[in-house]
Amino acid sequence: MNSYTDDFSILDFQRDLVDWYKMNQRDLPWRADQDPYKVWVSEIMLQQTRVDTVIPYFNRFLSLFPTLGALAEADEEKVLKAWEGLGYYSRVRNLQTAVKEVAEQYGGKVPDTPEEISKLKGVGPYTAGAILSIAYGVPEPAVDGNVMRVLSRILLIEEDIGKAKTRTLFEKAVRELISKEDPSSFNQAMMELGALICTPKSPACLICPVHEHCRAFDQGRQRELPVKEKKTKVRHVDMAALILRRADGKYLIHKRPKEGLLANLWEFPNVPVRKRGQSEIEDLTVFLDAEWGITAEIGDHISNLEHVFSHLKWDIQLFEGQCTTETGEKDDLKWVTFEEMEAFPFPVSHQKIIKLAKEVAVL
DNA sequence: AAGGCGTGGGG
DNA sequence: TCCCCAAGCCT
């Protein structure tokens, strides 16, 4: 009693939704078959990432690592390189960790129960439900942002979808609504509807296949939903970065720590600076010596550049410099040519620096 | 529970 | 330009 689905025509809704999906679904590379490994890769890539962005990455990734076993055995550096530019890099490191576990613990077969699959690194409630329903036909909810938006409108649910707890409420509703005959189509249809019709800004209610089931549409309130409180501004960080060249024409690059922002990706030497416009050169000089025992002559200021992340913004002052001592290499510190650089995974922020470094090198 | 964690596209 | 967003997960 007092359930969100009271007086709701579940079977009619399922039929209208799934029929529409079967007629109108997009032809996407991960829909070619139901290989659990491919479904898994696609779901990880699609987290917080648009379909159009994912498509070329998915095709390239699957050609490089065609099977679960291939990914399990691959070098992490190569895997990160394949992910370069996609963002949220811990996704792919977690994926490889989990794939190795499946190879070892489950004989290479992706587990098909909620209990087992949810233990895998990087497989949360959404991804678990998506793989189980799409690859194995298990009637588990797969509640993502689309599903919360669509359902908040259809069932007129006004809980804040930004709160962690709210997702479980939607999962409860989906357990009542989901088609037991075709949970794969049902879950994908909910997301497809969210992507194509029931969009955030201006939902196309007049052509929506389920508008006669939609309480928000009935009351003309679809634009008020879902409820989501807005987030605060991003923090700004002032940085100084350095294009450091050695006599043999090679450049210094550094591998970032294995945890935190841009973990295990490569970068140019850089330091946060406190007083902007004052001591960047001094900061860089001290940093190089203290961190790696490298002495250098910092030269011209090349340019300023900025890079925006989801939660912070880097304002980077870029300098060039000459190394004045012989230095060795470590696992996380290398001197490389531009050509050699191409094998290393860089975040987009440092791809911008590489581009500028090449321009400077021509002069 | 709330904040860390990327990037590029669109209104 | 600015802000929100796009198939979330981890701590």
Side-chain angles (χ1 to χ4, degrees), chain A residues 69-298:
Chain A
L71 180 57
E73 293 170 7
D75 290 339
E76 187 192 80
E77 195 101 326
K78 296 259 176 43
V79 174
L80 275 173
K81 187 68 187 177
W83 207 266
E84 184 183 71
L86 248 193
Y88 289 136
Y89 299 95
S90 65
R91 287 184 294 175
V92 76
R93 296 190 304 117
N94 290 338
L95 173 62
Q96 196 186 20
T97 299
V99 154
K100 286 178 178 175
E101 190 177 334
V102 169
E104 290 163 13
Q105 315 277 335
Y106 298 98
K109 181 185 181 298
V110 179
D112 59 2
T113 67
E115 294 73 25
E116 290 173 319
I117 203 168
S118 297
K119 285 183 191 151
L120 298 171
K121 198 84 170 166
V123 178
Y126 163 75
T127 305
I131 298 172
L132 290 172
S133 61
I134 297 170
Y136 294 119
V138 179
E140 282 289 310
V143 174
D144 69 337
N146 283 310
V147 173
M148 288 196 281
R149 182 174 62 257
V150 170
L151 267 194
S152 72
R153 288 169 177 164
I154 288 174
L155 299 178
L156 208 62
I157 297 174
E158 303 184 74
E159 308 289 324
D160 180 358
I161 67 167
K163 296 204 182 302
K165 195 174 152 191
T166 304
R167 196 202 66 252
T168 61
L169 188 157
F170 282 93
E171 285 173 348
K172 220 168 277 175
V174 170
R175 285 187 191 282
E176 299 181 34
L177 296 180
I178 192 169
S179 162
K180 307 299 185 296
E181 292 73 38
D182 192 353
S184 169
S185 292
F186 181 90
N187 279 342
Q188 293 189 79
M190 291 288 283
M191 294 187 276
E192 197 81 343
L193 189 72
L196 301 181
I197 306 285
C198 195
T199 52
K201 297 289 175 60
S202 50
C205 299
L206 296 182
I207 61 169
C208 177
V210 294
H211 65 190
E212 53 181 79
H213 305 278
C214 186
R215 292 173 181 165
F217 178 64
D218 184 52
Q219 299 185 18
R221 297 182 54 198
Q222 60 271 26
R223 281 172 193 77
E224 301 170 25
L225 296 164
V227 174
K228 185 173 172 186
E229 79 178 78
K230 44 192 163 243
K231 54 190 167 191
T232 56
K233 281 188 186 171
V234 302
R235 179 169 46 100
H236 287 221
V237 179
D238 287 323
M239 316 245 308
L242 180 62
I243 301 167
L244 187 62
R245 190 152 48 95
R246 201 167 64 173
D248 62 1
K250 296 192 174 194
Y251 296 87
L252 186 65
I253 61 172
H254 168 245
K255 187 175 183 175
R256 295 176 60 87
K258 61 178 171 23
E259 290 186 342
L261 182 66
L262 307 171
N264 283 2
L265 273 72
W266 291 78
E267 65 182 2
F268 285 74
N270 64 85
V271 280
V273 295
R274 307 218 184 289
K275 284 168 284 181
R276 187 167 182 129
Q278 291 270 331
S279 55
E280 290 86 2
I281 292 178
E282 176 72 8
D283 287 348
L284 283 168
T285 307
V286 170
F287 172 78
L288 287 175
D289 188 32
E291 196 75 5
W292 303 313
I294 293 173
T295 54
E297 289 289 334
I298 313 291

